[in-house]
Amino acid sequence: MGDERPDPSTPTIPPPPSASAAGAPLLLRPRREPFEYGLLPIPKLIFSDGTLTLGTLRDKLLGLSSPCPGSVDALALAEALQISPDLARLVLDTLASVLPSGTQDPAGTADVYDLVLFLYIQSYKRLLPKAHKDSAAVADVWPSTSAFDGYFSALLPIQLVRSNSRRSMHSQADEEAHQLSYLQKHMANILNLLAESVEGEGDESMVLTLERFEHLGFLIQICEKGGEEIPLRQAPPFFANSDPDMPAVPVSAVQVHDWLLQNIAASLEHTAEKVPVKENGPVNTSDLDVSMTDACMSHARTQSSSSLLSGTTVHNNATYSRSQSFVEGFSKASVVKQACDIKGHSVKVLNCHDSVIYVLSPLKYATVYGCSDTTIVLGAIGKAVRVEHCERVQVITAAKRICIANCRECVFFLGVNQQPLILGDNHKLQVAPYNTFYSQLEEHMAQVGIDATINRWNEPLVLGMVDPHDSLSHPAGVSDVQAESATCLDPDQFSDFLIPKWFGVESPGSTKYNPFPLPEIYKASEKKNNSIVCDIQQAIRDAQLEESRKREMACAVHVHFKDWLYASGNIRQLYCLQGD
């Protein structure tokens, strides 16, 4: 395997622990981030032969001469996978965005073992989409047809669910159970990619070191039943009592596999006990991934109303004692969430219609799903934003990266350090430079590592129209069709978006303007619009009118402004924000 073998005088495989030493089963949960933000619709990244190709790729990459042994850069990866350097960089950037350790290596490299695990899970298939549980309730805000449907109905089969089909996102419990079932089925292969060969026969010929075992932290987390997370190296009985001053003794890969399967089974059973039977039947955790060759080894919604914050429901998975904030199901409303209101490191804005949503917080991840006719302002997102199945939304965000999938007639005002990724069935998307600020924006950007001097808003990277990770069937050839790209917003339509000031007196170091420099053409348009407003204001001030005529003019301006507030729906913002 390219690694130095352990000293033959050192016992290679410790005796299996007794049942009492092993203790009660722990709760093993999947890390959501690789499955939610790390899947790329690139056919050359999907391997259906188990570990055969990936094992060879691993050995090839480990054998390369590199300034950082055990690491790979974009050029070497491009050559190994026979993909373009741009796609190789996308792979490494995406991997970095879902690693638990935080940031990508400054040299732009990735650990080979993390990379092969990342490539392995590209075989994952998401749960089948489901219709909105209350389609009638959203019929007035979600159109059933458009001129766009006729074109794609001829191109794609009826099985391909359209982006306007009133989808409802699966519950977190359903998705995690599905991810855990995938890991249960493929754990033998995953361990085979991490294990190394030693002298021995049968089960004793493949072992895992503690260092290799800890790479599983990319995919799993382990907790006690009370909910407290346990460091991965301390969870299994075969590594827990290792002398910290001595290297841990390698362990049989089969022993590790058996221990993991025991705890996965216990976790799935524990989750099933906590998840009530839903209206559409029990949770289905069947594994829908592509068929893969087994390695050569023998062998739903849980919701706690812990907090309801100014209209934002925060769901805590009590089973795993971790929280994630949701802004869900708002219609004709304005919702404001500041950092003190957000629980956890991620937020999901789901099924909101004809509303304005402000999430002004430093976060790692954000998802916008199933929204229409809504403006969504996301503060500073340090790892990834995903916007999916939305129509006529405006998304304003400062983020490391953004992925846009299956959206229509949406405008994205972006301050992003990496190229926007566009995939799936999109129509009439527009991108524009970032256009707002709030007093804590630069502080939040610094906390999550967003660089305001880099903005790649106008460099979209377009991938395939069909996502191979969905569980729908597609005709041959459709997967080669490229997604529709986004166009740049006409500078004449560009304007600043003003966020009301809820923070009281601003501190000396607070943000007072948009931190992302505007391109000259947009800056000129902004200056022109501001000049027009100033000219109108000055003309009103300079008008030589009698007092009675001034009152008439002021009354007319007031009436027209009020009419505009009602016609545009912005009157709701005044009432909602006044209520806050």
Side-chain angles (χ1 to χ4, degrees):
M1 302 289 288
D3 284 357
E4 199 173 293
R5 293 185 178 180
D7 188 334
S9 63
T10 304
T12 301
I13 304 170
S18 64
S20 59
L26 300 167
L27 294 181
L28 188 150
R29 68 189 187 214
R31 283 191 69 245
R32 296 188 298 256
E33 293 81 7
F35 297 101
E36 293 183 5
Y37 300 95
L39 302 180
L40 293 170
I42 301 175
K44 286 190 175 182
L45 302 186
I46 300 173
F47 303 98
S48 59
D49 59 358
T51 62
L52 185 62
T53 301
L54 284 176
T56 302
L57 176 68
R58 172 203 58 198
D59 294 342
K60 179 178 179 180
L61 294 176
L62 287 171
L64 295 176
S65 58
S66 169
C68 302
S71 297
V72 60
D73 62 17
L75 291 179
L77 181 61
E79 182 180 352
L81 292 177
Q82 293 298 294
I83 58 177
S84 70
D86 285 344
L87 285 183
R89 278 188 287 272
L90 173 64
V91 170
L92 297 185
D93 287 342
T94 305
L95 170 58
S97 74
V98 294
L99 282 172
S101 56
T103 59
Q104 185 177 11
D105 187 284
T109 63
D111 181 273
V112 170
Y113 289 101
D114 289 335
L115 175 65
V116 295
L117 295 186
F118 174 80
L119 293 175
Y120 189 93
I121 65 166
Q122 299 303 312
S123 67
Y124 176 74
K125 293 276 190 178
R126 299 186 183 96
L127 279 169
L128 281 166
K130 63 177 182 177
H132 195 283
K133 63 182 178 182
D134 189 6
S135 295
V138 298
D140 61 332
V141 296
W142 200 267
S144 58
T145 60
S146 79
F148 192 51
D149 291 329
Y151 169 74
F152 277 104
S153 62
L155 177 63
L156 300 179
I158 191 68
Q159 295 96 326
L160 182 58
V161 179
R162 301 293 306 147
S163 63
N164 64 350
S165 60
R166 301 167 194 160
R167 288 191 183 192
S168 179
M169 189 173 240
H170 286 277
S171 73
Q172 204 68 52
D174 285 357
E175 291 184 343
E176 290 192 10
H178 184 63
Q179 293 160 9
L180 201 55
S181 294
Y182 171 87
L183 293 175
Q184 182 182 46
K185 177 177 180 179
H186 293 278
M187 189 55 71
N189 282 344
I190 290 168
L191 292 179
N192 193 51
L193 291 171
L194 296 176
E196 60 180 292
S197 299
V198 295
E199 293 180 358
E201 297 182 358
D203 294 347
E204 298 182 1
S205 64
M206 301 291 289
V207 298
L208 264 83
T209 63
L210 175 58
E211 179 185 4
R212 299 277 186 86
F213 176 78
E214 287 187 306
H215 283 283
L216 289 174
F218 174 63
L219 297 174
I220 63 173
Q221 294 171 307
I222 297 178
C223 293
E224 295 176 333
K225 284 201 173 182
E228 184 176 351
E229 186 173 343
I230 303 171
L232 193 60
R233 66 185 299 143
Q234 296 179 15
F238 33 80
F239 289 131
N241 298 319
S242 298
D243 186 340
D245 297 325
M246 296 290 291
V249 176
V251 177
S252 163
V254 170
Q255 183 181 346
V256 176
H257 184 239
D258 291 346
W259 180 82
L260 287 168
L261 290 190
Q262 174 192 355
N263 287 285
I264 289 175
S267 301
L268 287 170
E269 182 180 352
H270 183 77
T271 301
E273 291 172 356
K274 297 293 183 180
V275 177
V277 176
K278 303 187 304 241
E279 296 174 6
N280 60 344
V283 177
N284 179 13
T285 61
S286 61
D287 196 3
L288 299 173
D289 54 25
V290 296
S291 175
M292 302 191 73
T293 307
D294 290 336
C296 298
M297 290 188 186
S298 59
H299 251 191
R301 183 161 183 162
T302 303
Q303 177 177 332
S304 171
S305 302
S306 59
S307 54
L308 185 62
L309 303 169
S310 302
T312 297
T313 306
V314 179
H315 300 264
N316 284 335
N317 191 327
T319 304
Y320 300 130
S321 185
R322 57 177 169 171
S323 62
Q324 180 173 257
S325 295
F326 286 69
V327 181
E328 184 171 9
F330 286 95
S331 180
K332 297 179 170 59
S334 294
V335 182
V336 182
K337 291 294 105 202
Q338 300 175 20
C340 59
D341 301 321
I342 299 296
K343 306 300 180 184
H345 63 256
S346 63
V347 67
K348 290 188 175 181
V349 181
L350 310 176
N351 300 315
C352 293
H353 308 286
D354 198 10
S355 297
V356 181
I357 310 295
Y358 302 88
V359 181
L360 309 181
S361 176
L363 295 165
K364 292 182 180 179
Y365 300 98
T367 292
V368 179
Y369 187 99
C371 297
S372 67
D373 301 290
T374 295
T375 297
I376 300 160
V377 183
L378 301 174
I381 312 300
K383 288 205 169 186
V385 176
R386 185 175 179 89
V387 183
E388 190 171 6
H389 296 292
C390 291
E391 291 197 11
R392 300 176 306 280
V393 303
Q394 292 188 49
V395 176
I396 305 172
T397 184
K400 183 73 74 176
R401 68 200 317 263
I402 187 170
C403 176
I404 302 163
N406 306 308
C407 293
R408 299 185 184 185
E409 300 173 41
C410 298
V411 185
F412 300 87
F413 296 88
L414 303 176
V416 288
N417 293 165
Q418 297 176 14
Q419 291 178 271
L421 184 61
I422 297 179
L423 54 96
D425 173 5
N426 300 288
H427 184 53
K428 290 187 177 180
L429 303 184
Q430 293 180 294
V431 291
Y434 193 72
N435 67 339
T436 193
F437 68 92
Y438 58 95
S439 63
Q440 292 178 297
L441 176 59
E442 287 173 298
E443 176 187 343
H444 290 170
M445 289 171 58
Q447 289 179 30
V448 298
I450 297 172
D451 185 351
T453 65
I454 300 173
N455 191 358
R456 305 185 70 180
W457 66 273
N458 59 341
E459 304 175 38
L461 179 59
V462 182
L463 297 181
M465 189 172 67
V466 171
D467 188 348
H469 304 106
D470 66 34
S471 298
L472 303 166
S473 59
H474 307 292
V478 173
S479 60
D480 298 327
V481 179
Q482 194 176 49
E484 180 181 323
S485 187
T487 59
C488 292
L489 182 72
D490 186 336
D492 290 336
Q493 297 179 15
F494 180 83
S495 61
D496 293 329
F497 183 88
L498 299 180
I499 298 175
K501 297 178 181 178
W502 295 284
F503 297 101
V505 179
E506 295 183 354
S507 64
S510 61
T511 301
K512 296 179 174 60
Y513 56 87
N514 181 354
F516 290 92
L518 285 177
E520 286 301 323
I521 190 170
Y522 288 92
K523 187 184 296 183
S525 178
E526 179 187 51
K527 184 178 180 180
K528 182 180 72 173
N529 292 335
N530 291 339
S531 178
I532 291 172
V533 172
C534 291
D535 289 346
I536 293 173
Q537 292 173 335
Q538 188 62 43
I540 292 174
R541 282 193 294 266
D542 294 344
Q544 300 296 321
L545 300 175
E546 298 177 358
E547 285 301 320
S548 60
R549 298 299 301 275
K550 286 184 178 180
R551 285 194 296 271
E552 288 178 9
M553 184 173 64
C555 182
V557 171
H558 178 77
V559 168
H560 285 293
F561 180 63
K562 187 175 180 180
D563 289 344
W564 173 81
L565 283 175
Y566 279 100
S568 65
N570 285 314
I571 189 67
R572 288 197 308 271
Q573 281 207 69
L574 295 181
Y575 288 127
C576 291
L577 299 178
Q578 185 179 27
D580 287 349

